[in-house]
């Protein structure tokens, strides 16, 4: 490399850092070689450099939002076995991922027995929403209930509720799996606070008629269901536990019978 070229690259590195253009800084050398070999003009090379920067920023933003979501694992609808749940409308689920229900501030309830893929579907819809540009946060009902209870005891509940407003979609997993005790009314307050502020996606093993077991008050539960189902999509997961099915398949492969 001659001295002039080395000086030019050093300046590009310096200015790219100062202007915070990491994608361009990483890609410009290779793009310059490609441009020289293919005879591209300066405008084409500049466009390629800016494209690299835009893509770098998009990937960084996506990575940040996936981390912010705090998913226990990343799931996609492509990896979901719809054949195991023939009553679950695949087209409707895919439509929810494609035409963002988050934009319309609609809610989704995934209802069914344990192990039928509700959490998988919820995470997959959350990942799709992040790819569409929305901010998502995943939590369990018990974890959120405890967080709200602590905030209430420390006299900062309004601030805690407002803090969740920065998320366009909140995924509330495992509602009804464990009792919430004194946190039940606070979780009701959270869900009511979300009404027309953002979307909720709830997974639960309880039919709506049993939600009073979670919130502890029939009047509160009725009011919540009225708001929640006003603009919602209810997905019914009726089928055998896929975890049980997978374990049985694994045992058969290993030659173990019961």
């Amino acid at each position: 490399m001659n001295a002039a070229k080395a000086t030019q690259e050093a300046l590009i590195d310096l200015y790219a850092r100062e202007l915070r253009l990491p994608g361009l800084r990483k890609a410009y050398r290779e793009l310059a070689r490609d441009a020289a070999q293919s005879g591209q003009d300066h405008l084409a090379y500049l466009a390629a450099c800016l494209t690299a920067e835009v893509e770098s920023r998009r990937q960084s933003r996506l990575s940040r939002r996936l981390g912010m979501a705090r998913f226990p694992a990343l799931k996609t609808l492509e990896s979901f076995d719809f054949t195991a749940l023939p009553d679950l409308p695949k087209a409707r689920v895919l439509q929810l991922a494609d035409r963002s229900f988050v934009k319309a501030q609609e809610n989704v309830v995934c209802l069914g027995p344990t192990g039928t893929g509700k959490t998988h579907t919820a995470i997959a819809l959350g990942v799709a929403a992040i790819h569409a540009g929305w901010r998502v946060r995943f939590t369990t009902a018990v974890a959120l209930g405890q967080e709200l209870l602590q905030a209430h005891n420390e006299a900062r509940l309004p601030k805690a509720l407002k803090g969740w407003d920065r998320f366009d979609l909140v995924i509330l997993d495992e509602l009804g799996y464990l009792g919430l005790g004194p946190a039940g009314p606070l979780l009701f307050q959270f869900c009511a606070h979300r009404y027309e502020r953002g979307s909720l996606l709830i997974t639960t093993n309880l039919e709506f008629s049993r939600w009073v077991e979670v919130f502890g008050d029939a009047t509160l539960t009725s009011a919540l269901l009225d708001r929640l189902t006003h603009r919602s999509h209810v997905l019914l997961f009726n089928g055998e536990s896929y975890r049980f099915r997978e374990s049985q398949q694994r045992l058969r492969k290993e030659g173990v019978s019961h």
Side-chain angles (χ1 to χ4, degrees):
M1 181 187 301
N2 60 48
K5 185 176 181 181
T7 300
Q8 291 170 345
E9 291 192 356
L11 284 173
I12 293 174
D13 285 336
L14 176 64
Y15 294 152
R17 284 196 186 95
E18 186 173 338
L19 294 171
R20 298 181 181 178
L21 303 173
L24 184 150
R25 179 172 176 265
K26 181 178 179 181
Y28 80 88
R29 290 182 178 86
E30 183 177 350
L31 292 174
R33 287 193 294 269
D34 292 343
Q37 292 172 2
S38 60
Q40 296 178 20
D41 61 23
H42 295 84
L43 287 177
Y45 172 60
L46 176 59
C49 286
L50 295 177
T51 298
E53 177 59 33
V54 169
E55 178 61 20
S56 173
R57 294 190 180 197
R58 190 188 74 81
Q59 289 296 332
S60 295
R61 184 167 57 250
L62 178 63
S63 180
R64 286 196 304 272
R65 290 189 175 180
L66 285 172
M68 183 190 304
R70 298 183 182 177
F71 294 126
L74 290 182
K75 302 291 184 179
T76 65
L77 291 177
E78 287 76 13
S79 63
F80 185 78
D81 184 11
F82 283 94
T83 62
L85 294 169
D87 294 334
L88 181 66
K90 179 178 179 179
R92 188 179 177 192
V93 176
L94 296 178
Q95 186 181 44
L96 285 174
D98 289 340
R99 69 162 192 90
S100 180
F101 63 95
V102 181
K103 182 177 182 179
Q105 294 186 338
E106 297 170 340
N107 304 309
V108 177
V109 179
C110 298
L111 192 157
T114 300
T116 49
K118 301 184 299 296
T119 299
H120 183 134
T121 302
I123 292 175
L125 290 175
V127 170
I130 289 174
H131 278 275
W134 303 107
R135 291 181 173 84
V136 178
R137 172 60 66 83
F138 177 99
T139 184
T140 64
V142 170
L144 179 57
Q146 291 303 308
E147 178 182 326
L148 296 174
L149 186 59
Q150 182 177 350
H152 173 73
N153 292 337
E154 296 172 357
R156 54 179 181 83
L157 183 61
K159 183 178 180 180
L161 291 173
K162 189 174 182 180
W164 284 85
D165 289 348
R166 69 182 186 275
F167 299 109
D168 305 294
L169 169 65
V170 174
I171 299 175
L172 190 59
D173 195 36
E174 298 182 342
L175 180 70
Y177 284 71
L178 294 172
L180 298 176
L186 299 177
L187 192 62
F188 161 81
Q189 192 171 343
F190 171 85
C191 294
H193 179 82
R194 290 288 299 176
Y195 183 63
E196 294 189 339
R197 282 187 172 89
S199 295
L200 267 176
L201 196 165
I202 297 175
T203 74
T204 180
N205 63 335
L206 295 181
E207 296 180 359
F208 290 139
S209 61
R210 295 182 58 193
W211 280 29
V212 67
E213 298 173 19
V214 177
F215 298 106
D217 183 288
T219 302
L220 289 180
T221 303
S222 178
L224 174 61
L225 286 172
D226 182 62
R227 292 182 177 184
L228 184 65
T229 59
H230 175 221
R231 302 172 65 181
S232 70
H233 306 268
V234 180
L235 302 176
L236 300 179
F237 290 70
N238 296 316
E240 183 182 61
S241 167
Y242 75 89
R243 286 191 287 269
F244 175 78
R245 187 172 62 252
E246 287 180 348
S247 67
Q248 292 298 98
Q249 292 172 349
R250 184 173 62 255
L251 289 173
R252 283 195 293 269
K253 288 180 181 179
E254 294 172 354
V256 180
S257 60
H258 292 275

